[in-house]
Amino acid sequence: MLKFLKVSIVALAFTLPAAAMAQGKIAVVNLQEAILQTDLAQKRLNEVRNQEDYKADKAEFDKLKKEFDDLVQKFQKDAAVMSQEQQVAARQKLASKQSDLEHVTGKLQQAEQGAGQMLLQEMSPRVQEVLRELIATEGIGLLLQRASVIHADAGYSITAKVTDKLNQLPAE
């Protein structure tokens, strides 16, 4: 009886790895990154960045950023010799410039995010097709969205493969 139990345990030990392999491997993907790294996405973002409104906002951002940095540098240099009233005025001016800078930054981000969202919706069917293909060819048994994973080594990521496959698909 004891010999039978030992043989059964050894047989079970040899079948467990095979059962685990039959279930497929685990992979993670960052779909947003995969889509936004495609040639089409880069082209669309460049189109957005070349629009006159965006260029004007970017120029305004650059100007405000330089003014803000200059004000910070001047305040840090002169703060020790400023009166209390001068420090308060300088801080208010910094806060106002920072607020302006945040507003323009928001406009720039909104323009890029809008283009990104449209692209994500447009490419969704193609992404599903690519994912189905990769799941089948790579033998993936469990595919997780990268944002929901605490840790995964780079070897588990198929994000670059998704981007490559999307780039290979004919443009619609």
Side-chain angles (χ1 to χ4, degrees):
M1 181 73 173
L2 187 58
K3 188 173 183 178
F4 176 72
L5 185 60
K6 284 183 181 178
V7 171
S8 297
I9 289 174
V10 169
L12 182 62
F14 283 117
T15 59
L16 283 178
M21 292 294 284
Q23 297 201 10
K25 69 180 193 178
I26 298 170
V28 295
V29 66
N30 182 335
L31 292 177
Q32 185 173 359
E33 179 182 327
I35 292 170
L36 294 178
Q37 293 299 318
T38 62
D39 297 336
L40 177 62
Q42 295 304 309
K43 180 182 169 198
R44 295 268 177 90
L45 284 174
N46 282 335
E47 288 171 0
V48 167
R49 291 175 181 149
N50 286 324
Q51 292 174 352
E52 290 305 315
D53 290 346
Y54 187 93
K55 284 182 176 181
D57 288 340
K58 179 68 171 125
E60 179 72 11
F61 170 83
D62 292 340
K63 178 181 144 239
L64 288 170
K65 178 76 171 119
K66 183 179 179 346
E67 290 173 1
F68 180 78
D69 291 343
D70 291 346
L71 284 172
V72 167
Q73 192 174 28
K74 184 177 185 318
F75 179 74
Q76 289 173 341
K77 183 179 138 202
D78 298 339
V81 295
M82 289 179 156
S83 70
Q84 197 69 10
E85 296 82 26
Q86 289 172 325
Q87 285 185 8
V88 168
R91 283 191 179 105
Q92 287 174 342
K93 194 171 185 177
L94 278 170
S96 173
K97 196 63 70 176
Q98 184 175 6
S99 176
D100 293 345
L101 194 56
E102 288 171 359
H103 175 72
V104 174
T105 300
K107 287 171 64 176
L108 292 171
Q109 288 174 342
Q110 188 176 12
E112 288 184 3
Q113 287 173 351
Q117 289 299 323
M118 286 179 49
L119 196 59
L120 291 174
Q121 289 174 351
E122 176 185 328
M123 292 186 73
S124 181
R126 296 167 84 185
V127 169
Q128 294 305 318
E129 174 187 328
V130 165
L131 285 176
R132 278 192 293 278
E133 181 184 329
L134 280 172
I135 288 168
T137 59
E138 300 275 328
I140 297 170
L142 177 64
L143 181 60
L144 302 168
Q145 180 63 269
R146 179 66 184 109
S148 63
V149 176
I150 294 172
H151 171 76
D153 288 334
Y156 285 96
S157 179
I158 62 166
T159 302
K161 290 178 182 179
V162 172
T163 300
D164 289 342
K165 293 269 187 196
L166 288 170
N167 282 335
Q168 292 170 10
L169 290 177
E172 291 180 358

